[in-house]
Amino acid sequence: MNPVLAELHDKARAVLDPVHYDFFAGGVGDEIVLADNEAAFRRHALLPRVLRGKGNSAEFPVLISPTAFHKLAHPDGELATARAAEGTVLVSSMASTVPIADVVAAATGPVWFQLYLQPDPRVTEALVRRAEQAGCEALVVTVDSPVFGRHRRDIANEFHDLPSGLAAENMRDLAGVAGPRDIEMAAFSWQDVDRLRASTSLPVWLKGVLHPADAVLAVGHGVAGIFVSNHGGRQLDVVPAALDALPAVVKAVGGRVPLVLDGGVRSGGDIALALAMGASSVGIGRPVLWGLAADGEAGVHRVLGVLRDEFEHVLAMCGGELSHDMVVARC
Ligand SMILES: Cc1cc2nc3c(=O)[nH]c(=O)nc-3n(C[C@H](O)[C@H](O)[C@H](O)COP(=O)(O)O)c2cc1C
Ligand SMILES: CC(C)CC(=O)C(=O)O
C-alpha cells in the first residue's frame, strides 16, 4: 500500500475511539466480502500497450462514496470532507452529522445526496426537497439495504447510538417530527424508483446493484447511472467482490449509463483496473475516513492527492488508454 495511505490509516486507528474505528473498518458477518473487495484487485493484472505516445490524459475518475457520521472521525465532520473534495464529486450520506445545506456550502465541487428511501413517503419527499434546495446535483438511492447489515464488531461493542451532541442532522424536522428521526431500512420496489424520479428533476442513480438483470432494469427505469457496490462488505457476506461483479454488469448495460465501481479501491492501479474492466469511475469509502480521522481536511486532501498521482502515473505507463483486452488474470 502507498505509505501515505498506510500512515493515515495507522494514525486513524491510533486516534479513534476503538468502538468508532470498528464501526468504520468493520463489515458484515465473517467479513469475507470486506477482505475480498481488496483481494479481487490482486487477482487481476493489466497488460499495458506500448509505443502509443502519451495518449489521452483522463480526468480523475474518482468519487467520494457516501459514508455516515463523519463527526465520529473528526470534529469538523463532513465540512472537512467537503472542503477537501476540490472538484471530486462528494456523495454525501443521508446519515451525515452536518446538514446537507452546510455540506454543499462548504464544498468547492459537486455534491450528490445519498438517500435511503423511507417507509413514510412524506419523509422521503422532504429529504429530496432538502437536497434540491441545498444545491445537490444528483440523488444516489442506496438499494442494497432492505434491512441493516449485522456488523459483528458493532454488536460486540454495543455500538447502537451516536454519542450525545452528534446526530444524523438531515433527519431533523421532517414530516412533523422535530427529530432527529431514526433512519429506517425497508424493502422497496421499482415503482418506488419511478415515483422518486417523477418527483424530482435531479438525476437519480442507484447504489448497490450486483445482478446484471437488476442493472438492465435500472436502465429501463431511467436511472442516470449505477454504483456496482456491495456497500464495502457491510450488507451481505455471501456476495462477490464488487470488482468480480463488474464484468457481467458492464456487459448487460452495454454503455447505456455510467457505472461506478465501489469497494476495495486503494490505489491508482486499482482505479486503472476498474476502468479497464468497464467502470466509468470508482468510489472510495474507508480511505477518506482514515484521512479525515488522521488529519481532517488535510488528511482527506492527501488521500485524494495520492490516488490522483498514482492513477496518472499508471495511466502514463499504459499509453494513456485502458481497455478490456488489457485485463488478464494474475495466475
Ligand atoms: C463507515 C461506513 C459508513 C457507510 N455509510 C454509508 C451510507 O450512509 N450510505 C451508503 O449508501 N453507503 C454507506 N457506506 C458504504 C460506502 O458508500 C461504500 O459503498 C463503501 O465504503 C465502499 O467500500 P470501501 O470502503 O472499501 O471503499 C458506508 C461505508 C462505511 C465503511
Ligand atoms: C447509517 C447507516 C445505515 C450507514 C451505513 O450505510 C453503513 O454503516 O454502512
Side-chain angles (χ1 to χ4, degrees):
M1 169 173 289
N2 183 293
V4 173
L5 298 188
E7 174 206 316
L8 292 168
H9 189 169
D10 287 347
K11 185 164 176 207
R13 195 190 280 111
V15 300
L16 282 169
D17 176 325
V19 171
H20 301 158
Y21 176 78
D22 273 351
F23 167 69
F24 288 142
V28 67
D30 292 328
E31 301 188 340
I32 290 168
V33 176
L34 174 69
D36 203 35
N37 274 347
E38 292 188 22
F41 287 95
R42 267 12 101 215
R43 293 193 292 265
H44 293 85
L46 270 181
L47 290 172
R49 300 298 305 268
V50 298
L51 294 172
R52 295 200 153 188
K54 285 211 283 198
N56 306 324
S57 63
E59 284 175 27
F60 183 47
V62 170
L63 295 83
I64 298 179
S65 282
T67 52
F69 310 148
H70 287 193
K71 281 196 178 175
L72 285 182
H74 189 275
D76 296 342
E78 288 80 2
L79 296 178
T81 317
R83 289 181 190 125
E86 275 189 8
T88 303
V89 171
L90 167 64
V91 187
S92 193
S93 170
M94 168 167 152
S96 59
T97 43
V98 168
I100 187 63
D102 297 356
V103 176
V104 176
T108 47
V111 179
W112 299 0
F113 186 73
Q114 178 268 327
L115 177 70
Y116 288 109
L117 295 173
Q118 293 299 286
D120 180 343
R122 293 171 310 155
V123 174
T124 305
E125 172 87 16
L127 284 162
V128 170
R129 295 291 90 80
R130 206 162 264 188
E132 288 172 345
Q133 280 157 19
C136 292
E137 295 182 23
L139 298 175
V140 178
V141 183
T142 302
V143 292
D144 59 15
S145 307
V147 289
F148 277 109
R150 292 184 180 151
H151 303 168
R152 293 208 181 124
R153 300 195 207 194
D154 296 343
I155 295 166
N157 293 333
E158 299 182 15
F159 177 62
H160 309 300
D161 298 305
L162 286 172
S164 70
L166 298 193
E169 292 294 337
N170 297 315
M171 300 305 289
R172 285 188 196 279
D173 305 323
L174 292 171
V177 176
R181 284 171 171 266
D182 285 341
I183 294 173
E184 293 182 62
M185 299 293 159
F188 292 95
S189 68
W190 290 103
Q191 283 173 331
D192 297 302
V193 174
D194 294 340
R195 263 192 285 276
L196 176 70
R197 280 200 59 232
S199 77
T200 180
S201 57
L202 291 179
V204 172
W205 291 60
L206 297 189
K207 174 170 179 285
V209 172
L210 295 172
H211 199 300
D214 282 338
V216 170
L217 280 167
V219 173
H221 284 266
V223 306
I226 297 169
F227 283 63
V228 178
S229 166
N230 55 36
H231 210 115
R234 289 165 78 83
Q235 282 302 112
L236 183 59
D237 208 23
V238 296
V239 297
L243 189 72
D244 288 331
L246 180 64
V249 175
V250 169
K251 190 160 176 247
V253 166
R256 285 174 288 170
V257 297
L259 300 174
V260 176
L261 182 282
D262 132 320
V265 175
R266 301 291 179 263
S267 71
D270 293 350
I271 300 169
L273 268 172
L275 260 62
M277 288 171 72
S280 323
S281 52
V282 301
I284 49 168
R286 292 179 183 82
V288 168
L289 293 169
W290 305 146
L292 180 64
D295 204 12
E297 177 186 344
V300 177
H301 200 258
R302 281 179 83 195
V303 169
L304 295 173
V306 163
L307 292 176
R308 186 189 296 270
D309 176 62
E310 283 190 349
F311 175 67
E312 283 173 2
H313 193 70
V314 172
L315 198 62
M317 291 284 186
C318 291
E321 274 174 50
L322 297 164
S323 53
H324 200 260
D325 53 281
M326 294 165 65
V327 182
V328 293
R330 182 177 296 287
C331 310

